[in-house]
Amino acid sequence: MNTRLDGRRILMAIAAPLLAVVVAVVVTSLILIVAKDPVGQVWSTILSAPKPRVLSAIINAATVYYLSAVAVAIGFKMNLFNIGVDGQYRIAAFFAALVAGQGWLPGPLNILLGLIVAVVAGGLWAAIAGLLKVWRGVSEVISTIMLNAIATALVAFLLRKVAIESGGSNVVQTKPLPESSQVPGFNLIPGSSREVYGLIILAILVGIAYWFVLNKTRFGFDLRATGASETAAVASGVKVKRMVALSMIISGGAAGLVGMPLLFGQDYSYGSTFQPGLGFAGIAIALLGRNHPIGIALAALLWSFLDQQSNALQIQAGVSDKLVLVIQGVIVLSVVIAYEIVRRANVRIEQRRVAARLAAEAGSPLEGARA
Amino acid sequence: MGENGAGKSTLMKILYGVQQPDEGTITVEGRQLRLRTPSEAIAAGIGMVFQHFQLADNFTVLENVVLGAEGLHGIGDAARTKIRELSESYGLGIDPDALVADLGVGARQRIEILKVLYRGAKIIILDEPTAVLVPQEVTELFDNLRGLTAEGLTVIFISHKLDEVLQVADAITVIRRGTTVAEVDPKGVTARQLAELMVGSELPSPKTEESTVTDTPVLTIVDTSLDNPLGGPRLLEDINLTIHSGEIVGIAGVEGNGQAELVEVIMGMREPSSGRILLGDIDTSDWQTREIREAGIGYIPEDRHRHGLLLEAPLWENVVLGHQTETAYLTGPGGWLVNAAAAKKETEAIVEQYDVRTPSINVTSGSLSGGNQQKLIIGREMRRNPRVLVAAHPTRGVDVGAQAAIWDHIRDARRQGLGVLLISADLEELVGLSDTIRVILRGRLVGEFDPDTVTREELGAAMTGAGAADSRKPGSELPVSDPVEPAAPWGSPAPEQDTTKEEGQ
């Protein structure tokens, strides 16, 4: 019984994202046909086997996306829409780079300090939105959007204050990390000159911690209960306000880690060229991955696969690489719809199965109609 | 008519196009119809008045009536004239420009009927229309219904209350477990025969229960008030209430008179504005829900879907819900991990002992029937051996077998010293279970009655705030005695049917 139920659940879980991807392919193809662009050429470019160098880039981008999506998913599990991951990770990366750049502690300890600073900074920034919601009932959607704008301005302002001269170039950046604090990459892909971020380990640990806390701990139970039904959670004794503030802070803390693989494995400082927009990609990926630690990983890989493969579109097919945004956008839209359809179907199917099984056991349809 | 869970509502949903029949036909005025949506039903002249009113409080009667039917007579004077016309010809007495918020329950129900008439219904379905009314309002409703039938309309009156059906119906169809068991003429049938048709067995005679009330107070509410955060009159005013070990205190009242607030204050979901609440002799007034539940108050919420269950979570997680800090369900250092194995074992025990019909403890709670969901909740609360049980409508929407089983579980626990606060809209349940009945009206406890001697009229008068003298007159038109149990007008509501599984505690 259990294995059969689980088998169906897994099938249901895969059906929706698969459906969404198919819809995205169809819609994008239609757009290409209308625009008289070479449809076949586009798909063969995007779906070609990535070169080893590109494969490393896909894994690296997915690592960062994964952290961002987990941060968003923590909020989603509580029915909190943390749009502010974007601001949180930039604030966090700035302060982490600033502190770690000083090289107060030797090697690995300095890395650890940087990570802690990032978590604290991200958490504190998110706490503003969390506390506003708890104390003043301000929607976290509004406040985190505002805080994103403020974060942008604040970081730009502070960066000017602490920036170091970088001989001639007009890039503004914090003091680079000491060499001993740079995290070496792994040579994971044979034949690729580009290494995979060492902090991919961090992303994996965050994923495991996310799964464990949510599914195995009392805190996770309370959090899921609140997300599933706030009224039932209140009646069961969950202190919802505290949960809202806490989960917002934890989400922000996780968001703080988003920029870390970039900081310690690639840029070694925070500057005006630090990769923006990761928070918004995280929202889409969390939706696509259904807030599930493995689902998010697959979604992050798909996302960065599309990103990287589309780089060649302009040269190979003469189509703007912005096309990938259309594909990603359609995927997210259709996945949200598909999940809801699948969810409702699932509820109905289970109700029918239970009623049928009971009727079979009792030999007569007793009270199946009521639910 | 039929008992709770007999399939009355399902049948009506099919008639109103909400649900589809697997087989069979529906014939309206000689035409065989397939009703796929409520709008098709409306077009066929079928109208439905739901048990829970669907009115916007901040709209006038006119606005509520035309809402969704703007195409019929517009939204202006034409509609107003039409409403006046209907109101007069059927004697509903409704002013189209009154604000719904200012109207009482009886008037709101008449608006619902008017809404249906306005849409041209010839057949009106009323689903348990008297559940929300006090006896005096029931009489008015019956007068209105006779007015409708006199004008040539057809009324389908769904109820499980024998006396009401006998009083108002011209023809009775009894259904039980989803099938028609009899079609009878109300003139040729006694209430007792009807009751036996309905439950399908000889009715047991009311049991005389020995009182188990002790003089140890387990829950004491002292001078407790609750302000209305939106201003206006207080939601609760100077509540004083003591529940002793082994005692069931019933709260009667028209819905919305402070019952929900009283429960929320006791459960710590709302902070009382003043007063004290003692559990045993410990002051719990400023405790939060979790501490209160940990201290041993079991809670059966009024709305199990909103407050009692996580519908998309498996049964065993629902058993943990409300008892997250119960050490039996926890493991690991400091008890910060959920012990799924222990929770599953406990769920198996509840399913067994409380006869929850489910194929597995891993199905979602939303896939169970209402009665089985309720049995799961009762089991979850009772198996933790609470000192006090706050039970709001514990058998609402539950089939007859489950209802009797739930009553038995509550009685058994009382015998072992449980104190129960029972809130119910079902007067029979209140009288059958309670040791004391208190009446709540506009946030105040206004009367205290002995369930063995109280009459329907006395309770009805207290529930509406009519003085004892006033209530005599309308009371005389009411079904004074319940012919099912002539000796004791209220009796103990049939606790043991053959459908009940008697299982030891």
Side-chain angles (χ1 to χ4, degrees):
Chain A
M1 160 105 218
N2 276 337
T3 49
R4 272 177 60 196
L5 261 183
D6 286 343
R8 196 194 75 220
R9 277 198 189 127
I10 289 169
L11 195 76
M12 287 294 214
I14 295 174
L18 222 57
L19 196 71
V21 170
V22 170
V23 170
V25 168
V26 172
V27 171
T28 313
S29 300
L30 286 177
I31 292 174
L32 290 171
I33 290 168
V34 170
K36 297 198 171 64
D37 276 322
V39 181
Q41 192 82 50
V42 166
W43 290 120
S44 69
T45 307
I46 290 181
L47 297 177
S48 63
K51 295 189 186 71
R53 194 182 50 80
V54 178
L55 203 56
S56 303
I58 289 175
I59 293 174
N60 278 345
T63 303
V64 179
Y65 282 155
Y66 185 75
L67 287 167
S68 172
V70 168
V72 176
I74 294 169
F76 274 150
K77 278 283 176 187
M78 265 285 291
N79 273 345
L80 282 175
F81 202 165
N82 182 7
I83 300 183
V85 169
D86 215 62
Q88 288 147 18
Y89 91 80
R90 278 179 287 141
I91 291 266
F94 168 77
F95 280 105
L98 185 64
V99 172
Q102 308 303 319
W104 286 323
L105 296 173
L109 280 181
N110 198 38
I111 299 170
L112 192 66
L113 177 69
L115 294 180
I116 292 171
V117 168
V119 169
V120 171
L124 284 178
W125 194 250
I128 301 173
L131 294 177
L132 275 175
K133 183 172 176 84
V134 171
W135 286 337
R136 281 284 165 264
V138 179
S139 160
E140 78 283 2
V141 175
I142 308 293
S143 60
T144 51
I145 291 176
M146 301 294 191
L147 282 166
N148 281 344
I150 297 172
T152 306
L154 185 68
V155 168
F157 170 77
L158 291 176
L159 197 54
R160 288 274 163 204
K161 296 264 177 201
V162 300
I164 50 142
E165 294 298 322
S166 52
S169 113
N170 53 3
V171 174
V172 189
Q173 61 182 41
T174 58
K175 189 174 167 191
L177 302 178
E179 204 139 315
S180 65
S181 301
Q182 300 178 359
V183 179
F186 299 120
N187 226 326
L188 210 62
I189 309 296
S192 163
S193 57
R194 186 184 285 172
E195 291 181 324
V196 170
Y197 295 143
L199 286 183
I200 191 174
I201 305 242
L202 177 72
I204 294 170
L205 289 177
V206 165
I208 293 172
Y210 169 75
W211 169 82
F212 184 82
V213 169
L214 216 55
N215 292 295
K216 297 290 164 189
T217 66
R218 210 183 84 198
F219 175 80
F221 186 94
D222 281 358
L223 191 141
R224 282 185 294 129
T226 315
S229 167
E230 192 176 319
T231 47
V234 169
S236 83
V238 175
K239 295 170 176 101
V240 169
K241 286 192 169 184
R242 210 176 67 179
M243 290 299 292
V244 166
L246 257 180
S247 48
M248 200 69 197
I249 290 169
I250 294 172
S251 174
L257 293 173
V258 170
M260 294 303 101
L262 297 171
L263 175 63
F264 287 100
Q266 178 181 304
D267 294 356
Y268 308 125
S269 72
Y270 186 95
S272 46
T273 55
F274 203 80
Q275 190 179 351
L278 292 170
F280 298 112
I283 296 172
I285 293 163
L287 280 174
L288 183 59
R290 220 179 183 186
N291 304 329
H292 187 282
I294 308 260
I296 295 174
L298 296 175
L301 282 169
L302 175 67
W303 216 252
S304 59
F305 172 82
L306 290 173
D307 273 355
Q308 299 296 329
Q309 293 290 82
S310 66
N311 285 339
L313 273 181
Q314 191 73 60
I315 306 161
Q316 302 263 343
V319 175
S320 164
D321 58 1
K322 293 281 180 283
L323 180 71
V324 75
L325 298 178
V326 174
I327 304 178
Q328 291 174 337
V330 178
I331 289 180
V332 169
L333 268 184
S334 32
V335 88
V336 171
I337 299 167
Y339 277 145
E340 189 55 25
I341 293 171
V342 169
R343 192 188 69 83
R344 285 186 197 173
N346 222 352
V347 167
R348 264 201 309 277
I349 290 171
E350 179 139 341
Q351 274 176 358
R352 224 171 279 154
R353 282 170 57 100
V354 168
R357 197 168 289 261
L358 288 176
E361 275 171 20
S364 70
L366 266 178
E367 37 166 354
R370 281 180 169 259
Chain B
M1 72 179 310
E3 271 291 351
N4 283 326
K8 302 185 300 281
S9 298
T10 309
L11 179 63
M12 293 310 134
K13 279 185 194 158
I14 290 173
L15 266 187
Y16 195 53
V18 179
Q19 248 174 336
Q20 300 305 307
D22 292 330
E23 49 190 80
T25 57
I26 299 167
T27 308
V28 179
E29 288 171 352
R31 280 184 302 135
Q32 197 168 311
L33 296 177
R34 271 190 68 95
L35 303 170
R36 274 174 295 259
T37 62
S39 24
E40 288 183 24
I42 292 168
I46 299 172
M48 179 107 173
V49 175
F50 290 94
Q51 190 175 346
H52 296 284
F53 303 148
Q54 303 179 331
L55 298 170
D57 269 7
N58 51 348
F59 275 19
T60 64
V61 172
L62 171 73
E63 286 164 337
N64 267 293
V65 171
V66 298
L67 190 65
E70 296 86 348
L72 291 178
H73 306 281
I75 56 169
D77 279 337
R80 187 174 284 112
T81 318
K82 180 74 185 163
I83 292 172
R84 285 228 173 82
E85 232 175 79
L86 286 170
S87 170
E88 268 167 41
S89 55
Y90 296 107
L92 297 174
I94 290 173
D95 171 14
D97 295 311
L99 196 65
V100 168
D102 300 334
L103 298 175
V105 179
R108 287 174 193 222
Q109 195 165 49
R110 292 199 298 275
I111 300 173
E112 288 283 3
I113 295 175
L114 191 90
K115 260 166 74 177
V116 167
L117 293 172
Y118 187 82
R119 285 157 177 75
K122 297 276 174 279
I123 300 166
I124 301 171
I125 305 169
L126 294 148
D127 187 7
E128 304 262 358
T130 58
V132 290
L133 303 180
V134 295
Q136 286 81 345
E137 289 170 324
V138 169
T139 318
E140 285 175 33
L141 172 70
F142 286 178
D143 288 341
N144 291 139
L145 294 185
R146 288 193 194 98
L148 295 177
T149 49
E151 295 290 323
L153 299 183
T154 306
V155 175
I156 303 178
F157 181 86
I158 310 170
S159 179
H160 62 268
K161 295 183 181 160
L162 301 165
D163 44 14
E164 291 177 357
V165 175
L166 278 175
Q167 209 185 341
V168 78
D170 300 309
I172 300 174
T173 300
V174 183
I175 57 179
R176 183 169 79 230
R177 295 208 181 151
T179 46
T180 304
V181 291
E183 289 179 42
V184 293
D185 182 343
K187 291 184 193 70
V189 68
T190 68
R192 184 155 191 113
Q193 287 167 331
L194 206 51
E196 285 175 5
L197 282 173
M198 212 161 76
V199 296
S201 67
E202 292 280 314
L203 289 171
S205 45
K207 262 197 307 192
T208 40
E209 282 255 351
E210 243 175 74
S211 171
T212 55
V213 182
T214 64
D215 51 12
T216 325
V218 285
L219 183 74
T220 315
I221 303 172
V222 187
D223 297 332
T224 296
S225 299
L226 178 67
D227 291 333
N228 188 341
L230 307 172
R234 286 179 156 188
L235 297 171
L236 293 175
E237 180 98 49
D238 290 330
I239 301 280
N240 281 287
L241 182 70
T242 304
I243 300 169
H244 299 95
S245 174
E247 182 181 34
I248 299 181
V249 175
I251 302 283
V254 178
E255 264 177 75
N257 271 283
Q259 294 95 321
E261 288 78 9
L262 179 60
V263 168
E264 284 172 0
V265 163
I266 295 173
M267 292 313 299
M269 290 150 73
R270 283 196 188 205
E271 281 296 305
S273 315
S274 61
R276 290 186 310 145
I277 297 172
L278 307 169
L279 184 65
D281 45 18
I282 310 160
D283 190 335
T284 67
S285 314
D286 48 8
W287 289 17
Q288 288 187 293
T289 309
R290 178 148 286 167
E291 287 76 36
I292 289 172
R293 295 190 75 136
E294 282 169 357
I297 300 196
Y299 175 35
I300 300 170
E302 168 178 358
D303 184 338
R304 58 178 163 265
H305 287 181
R306 272 172 60 76
H307 293 117
L309 295 169
L310 302 173
L311 291 174
E312 291 184 38
L315 296 192
W316 69 267
E317 286 195 359
N318 277 287
V319 165
V320 177
L321 187 73
H323 305 278
Q324 289 100 317
T325 52
E326 171 70 47
T327 47
Y329 299 145
L330 295 175
T331 179
W336 61 287
L337 297 180
V338 173
N339 187 346
K344 286 179 181 169
K345 223 172 132 202
E346 173 69 10
T347 310
E348 298 280 9
I350 291 171
V351 165
E352 178 70 26
Q353 187 182 341
Y354 287 81
D355 187 32
V356 180
R357 313 252 170 97
T358 174
S360 149
I361 59 164
N362 294 308
V363 301
T364 59
S365 67
S367 57
L368 297 189
S369 72
N372 285 314
Q373 289 174 346
Q374 193 71 4
K375 284 189 279 188
L376 183 78
I377 294 176
I378 306 265
R380 162 179 95 189
E381 301 303 323
M382 296 296 231
R383 294 247 320 165
R384 303 258 57 89
N385 295 321
R387 292 157 71 193
V388 178
L389 179 70
V390 176
H393 310 280
T395 61
R396 176 177 276 180
V398 162
D399 65 280
V400 60
Q403 188 176 37
I406 290 170
W407 285 337
D408 282 347
H409 284 302
I410 293 178
R411 285 204 188 99
D412 282 346
R414 170 180 64 168
R415 243 170 264 136
Q416 281 151 31
L418 177 75
V420 181
L421 181 71
L422 173 70
I423 288 163
S424 181
D426 182 347
L427 293 184
E428 323 236 342
E429 175 170 80
L430 281 174
V431 170
L433 280 181
S434 307
D435 297 299
T436 314
I437 296 183
R438 306 287 296 267
V439 173
I440 192 164
L441 175 68
R442 288 183 216 108
R444 291 168 177 273
L445 288 177
V446 292
E448 180 163 353
F449 297 95
D450 180 346
D452 293 335
T453 56
V454 70
T455 66
R456 207 176 274 250
E457 290 68 48
E458 284 167 347
L459 276 181
M463 281 160 69
T464 47
D470 301 349
S471 72
R472 287 287 175 247
K473 211 162 32 130
S476 57
E477 298 161 20
L478 285 167
V480 175
S481 65
D482 185 343
V484 180
E485 285 119 14
W490 283 70
S492 146
E496 278 139 326
Q497 269 100 47
D498 54 352
T499 49
T500 314
K501 273 202 187 166
E502 291 283 349
E503 255 145 7
Q505 291 281 337

